[in-house]
Amino acid sequence: MSGRIHSLWNILATNGWQNFWDVVTSRGAIVVYLIILLLGIALVVIFAMISENRRAILQERADLQANQARQDFASAQKKDKNAEEEKQSRFFMLTQTDEKMKKKERVSFTNDITLQSLCERFRNFSASRL
């Protein structure tokens, strides 16, 4: 390898830098440089597009997770609100009456009423109202 570099150096030294400059600036070399430059620009653009696409996907995932978290939080609040509403009665007067009745003593009824006597008493009551 060092022999090749040495021989290249000898060619440059003997023919001079002018020949080297002519080769480097020739029409074919410039076309190659332009092709390499265009490929480089194309690669940079492609990588930028890929990076932007990945960023958009990550942003979308983050937005979805944030929306899911908001929905979870809202549903948890609704559950808490529903639990509080269940604790508070919709029919507050009925609840108050139930509380008063719990404190009162139960009245015991005699169980000497039969179905036949109940029906007979109801029939008599209905007849008296006609």
Side-chain angles (χ1 to χ4, degrees):
M1 185 76 153
S2 67
R4 286 185 181 176
I5 294 173
H6 185 65
S7 63
L8 181 62
W9 184 255
N10 284 338
I11 291 172
L12 287 175
T14 56
N15 294 338
W17 289 98
Q18 185 62 34
N19 287 340
F20 175 73
W21 187 252
D22 289 340
V23 171
V24 172
T25 58
S26 69
R27 178 171 281 172
I30 291 176
V31 169
V32 170
Y33 300 147
L34 287 176
I35 290 172
I36 291 172
L37 180 66
L38 290 176
L39 287 175
I41 291 172
L43 285 175
V44 167
V45 169
I46 289 171
F47 285 130
M49 289 171 52
I50 291 171
S51 175
E52 181 64 26
N53 190 20
R54 284 184 184 167
R55 188 197 60 77
I57 290 171
L58 291 175
Q59 182 66 35
E60 185 177 327
R61 285 182 186 168
D63 290 343
L64 287 175
Q65 289 174 348
N67 287 337
Q68 184 65 35
R70 280 189 217 110
Q71 288 175 353
D72 290 346
F73 182 70
S75 66
Q77 283 183 333
K78 283 183 181 179
K79 286 179 183 177
D80 290 343
K81 187 176 180 182
N82 289 341
E84 288 177 13
E85 287 177 357
E86 288 175 2
K87 290 178 185 176
Q88 297 174 352
S89 177
R90 180 174 172 191
F91 307 103
F92 65 93
M93 292 179 74
L94 183 60
T95 306
Q96 288 175 352
T97 305
D98 286 342
E99 292 297 323
K100 286 179 186 177
M101 293 306 288
K102 282 182 184 177
K103 296 175 184 174
K104 286 191 175 183
E105 205 176 292
R106 289 188 176 218
V107 177
S108 62
F109 295 99
T110 58
N111 291 332
D112 59 351
I113 300 174
T114 63
L115 180 60
Q116 184 179 1
S117 67
L118 178 68
C119 290
E120 193 173 312
R121 289 177 71 186
F122 181 72
R123 193 176 320 120
N124 291 337
F125 170 78
S126 297
S128 72
R129 296 290 179 173
L130 289 175

